[in-house]
Amino acid sequence: MNDDEKQREKHVTGATVWLTGLPSAGKTTIAYELAARLRADGHRTEVLDGDEIREFLSAGLGFSREDRHTNVQRIGFVAELLASNGVTALVPVIAPYADSREAVRKRHAAEGTAYVEVHVATPVDVCSERDVKGLYARQAAGEISGLTGVDDPYEEPANPDLRIESQNQTVQQSAAALHALLIEKGLA
């Protein structure tokens, strides 16, 4: 393969990069930082933001275990569709249940599409201090219940491809670590 062919291949290889973690862990911030890096390198990249997906693709779903599973499967389907067509799909979505994430991984494997799982392993106390959307404050005030990691379960990935402790590094360092992993795997 000559340099032109390698360059073309680099730009058409897609993958799904799923960033899982608690609310306010830094998933979306890291995803957008990584997206900018990938786009600067010429990669077709989309961020499938969990909040936007809930508004447009999964409107009407609640936060029961079944609804959360359905939401994750819908997002996983769209991510795989994009990735199989040469897009790097960055998916900063909580996906609190291991079996839901595993079903998405299996869908990707069945289609021969690259899948990378990243655990943004920010402790709940740090997330509650950040409280980007005010969810922790609302939960503490009794206004909402079912907050992942507080009064609803979050099953941490046992063997993620990468674990990021965002409280110990900058967003740029987190994105750089993930970018390095993608390069190592031939996906960036």
Side-chain angles (χ1 to χ4, degrees):
M1 191 179 286
N2 66 36
D3 286 341
D4 286 342
E5 290 170 325
K6 286 180 185 174
Q7 194 65 15
R8 274 196 302 275
E9 180 66 21
K10 178 180 178 181
H11 293 293
V12 297
T13 301
T16 294
V17 180
W18 199 290
L19 295 94
T20 179
L22 296 174
S24 297
K27 302 176 299 297
T28 302
T29 305
I30 294 166
Y32 278 108
E33 178 70 23
L34 177 60
R37 288 172 185 246
L38 292 171
R39 288 179 183 133
D41 287 345
H43 292 279
R44 295 169 45 204
T45 305
E46 290 295 333
V47 176
L48 300 179
D49 181 277
D51 293 332
E52 291 175 0
I53 296 292
R54 273 221 173 250
E55 183 178 351
F56 297 107
L57 184 64
S58 294
L61 289 180
F63 291 91
S64 68
R65 183 180 181 99
E66 181 179 306
D67 283 355
R68 289 176 192 245
H69 179 77
T70 298
N71 186 50
V72 168
Q73 297 316 296
R74 288 178 182 177
I75 297 168
F77 173 81
V78 172
E80 195 285 321
L81 184 64
L82 288 167
S84 68
N85 283 283
V87 175
T88 302
L90 305 178
V91 186
V93 173
I94 296 168
Y97 303 112
D99 60 341
S100 296
R101 294 190 306 266
E102 184 58 25
V104 171
R105 180 187 296 277
K106 285 180 178 175
R107 169 185 293 281
H108 281 70
E111 298 298 327
T113 305
Y115 179 86
V116 176
E117 184 178 71
V118 179
H119 179 207
V120 183
T122 310
V124 69
D125 59 318
V126 173
C127 294
S128 66
E129 286 174 22
R130 291 178 181 170
D131 204 8
V132 178
K133 299 171 197 155
L135 296 174
Y136 293 93
R138 290 178 60 211
Q139 190 277 336
E143 296 171 15
I144 62 170
S145 62
L147 181 59
T148 302
V150 177
D151 60 354
D152 208 55
Y154 176 74
E155 299 169 356
E156 291 189 6
N159 296 301
D161 297 291
L162 179 66
R163 191 175 311 278
I164 294 174
E165 295 181 359
S166 70
Q167 74 279 11
N168 296 329
Q169 59 192 36
T170 66
V171 172
Q172 292 76 20
Q173 290 169 326
S174 297
L178 183 44
H179 191 225
L181 176 66
L182 295 179
I183 290 169
E184 178 185 310
K185 291 181 170 286
L187 301 172

